[in-house]
Amino acid sequence: MHTKALLLASIPTATAAETILGAYIFSRHGDRTTKAYSPTKLTALGAEQVYLSGSWYRSRYIDEKSSTRINGISSDLADLTELAVTAPADNVLQGSAGFFLQGLYPPAGSVNSQKLANGTTIEAPLSGYQYIPVNSATVTSRGSNQAESSAWLQGNSGCPAAVNSSQAYFQSKEYLELLGSTKEFYQSLLPVYESTFPSESATFKNAYSIFDYIHVSTIHNASIPSSNLLTPSNLQTLSDLANIHEFGLGYNASSPIRAVAGSVLASHIVSTLNSSISSSSSQKLNIQFGPYGTFGSFFGLSQLPAVSPDFTAIVDYASSMTFELFTTSSSSSPSENEVFVRFLFANGTASDSNPAKVYPLFGQDKTELPWTTFVSEMNKIALEGGSKEWCDACGEKTGQCADYYPAESAGVAAAAKSGSGMSNAVAGVIGAMVTLGVVLGLQALILGVGGLRLTKRRKQDPSEVFQVPAGKTSFSDTSSTQKA
């Protein structure tokens, strides 16, 4: 990271006067198969990455000997009233959450046993394995419900305005300039990926899809076509271009709705941490898994790129950001003025060699924000999923938003009923045809953005490597097995 980031980042250790009240962890999934071939699957390496991350968070928040243990949290047997775990209904994200929890609360052996009325002691299967449920997040309640098989960042955001804003990136000066200046670079690597990305798809428009395909191949494939073209310089350029492409699609200062996933996440973080302060709630730790795009959106909204340009890069597999709630008061019920929040981030698997570090949010000089300041700043960027505010910002008036617009919904219904005098049967047929047209249009959009047509073109000779504009960096170089 850059100098400023190094000065501000630190490994947090609670002081003797601090009490950790609760925490919110948002994590990316572990290593997976490429998005070029559905369905995307979590790999054994990916399972290990999130498991180790869960183990590290156990040592920080759960272990009885930890100075940063969450006050009163159960240490051996998971108390489900203290935990809330969510992930989109996607096999990679759900699976990652499950392996993370195995590290957080490993099999408890004889501790997880039960003595029956007849005197027999029964130990839970798999050496006292602990079954912690992972709830499925809905599309708007937790930000983006993007499936890992989709290459389109706003694929399931459920927010039309966000989709339109991201689409506007393809007309921006930065995008159009890079589309032209990188053409020869992508064509020069065509022999590597032409079986999946034909010549017309090998452009900056598919920067992430191409990067993902090659990145996964470098981790899992012992043999890659024309691998001599994948020099360290070319691999780094592919990574840098993917970072520029995805941050451009996920955040824009002049169009904040583009970062709707980060806005919805911000809303959920505040409401969840607020319940940790409440004496009426027993919830102490909230864990959510989601796609890399949500990280980038939140980073942009919370002004983290001003701390380091690295925060515009795609986070590594198993990366996690944490919001830690603590107090310096000795009271069992501290007031709001006695509660603080710190933000931590680990790029890649959190471990003793790669611990989560503290960074300042919202352009603040301090890394420990008073709760009231934190809430005030978060509310400036937050949108509660499915709320009237969210519906207005997204320009959505159907589905779950229909109840907020009864007059318009009634007008649409009346028009459908009377309209030009057509019968219900005819109206139904027309409605079905319109729906089919929308579905086919969306399929064309996703295929166009993801670049997943499978055709073959002749090989082309390599050309000069494109140089990424200065200032565009990444968290780590592409030699890491945890990249993106």
Side-chain angles (χ1 to χ4, degrees), residues 153 169 178 185-186 204 206-212 215 235-249 292 312-314 468 473-474 478 483-484:
L153 198 61
Y169 174 68
L178 284 172
F185 170 72
Y186 282 108
F204 178 65
N206 296 311
Y208 178 76
S209 296
I210 292 172
F211 163 73
D212 179 70
H215 174 61
L235 288 173
Q236 187 61 54
T237 299
L238 285 168
S239 174
D240 291 341
L241 290 171
N243 290 336
I244 295 170
H245 187 276
E246 295 304 281
F247 193 72
L249 285 175
Y292 68 85
T312 64
I314 299 167
V468 177
T473 62
S474 59
T478 50
K483 186 66 185 176

Side-chain angles (χ1 to χ4, degrees), residues 3 95 126 201 207 235 283 359 392 467:
T3 303
L126 302 175
S201 296
L235 288 173
Q283 188 178 116
Y359 296 92
D392 287 342
Q467 297 298 315

Side-chain angles (χ1 to χ4, degrees), residues 3 36 58 78 82 94 135-136 145 160 168 204 234 244 249 299 392 395 449 478 483:
T3 303
R58 172 177 175 78
E82 298 175 344
Q94 286 272 328
N135 299 311
S136 294
N145 192 27
F204 178 65
N234 281 350
I244 295 170
L249 285 175
F299 289 166
D392 287 342
V449 174
T478 50
K483 186 66 185 176

Side-chain angles (χ1 to χ4, degrees), residues 35 37 42 78 116 123 134 171 200 214 256 291 296 335 357 385 398 425-426 469:
K35 291 188 177 187
Y37 305 118
L42 183 69
L116 304 182
E123 183 179 297
V134 179
Q171 303 301 320
E200 63 268 24
I214 290 182
S335 66
K357 297 180 181 180
T398 62
V426 173

Side-chain angles (χ1 to χ4, degrees), residues 144 153 215 224 230 251 292 319 405 446:
S144 175
L153 198 61
H215 174 61
I224 302 175
L230 299 179
Y251 173 76
Y292 68 85
S319 292
Y405 309 96
I446 292 171

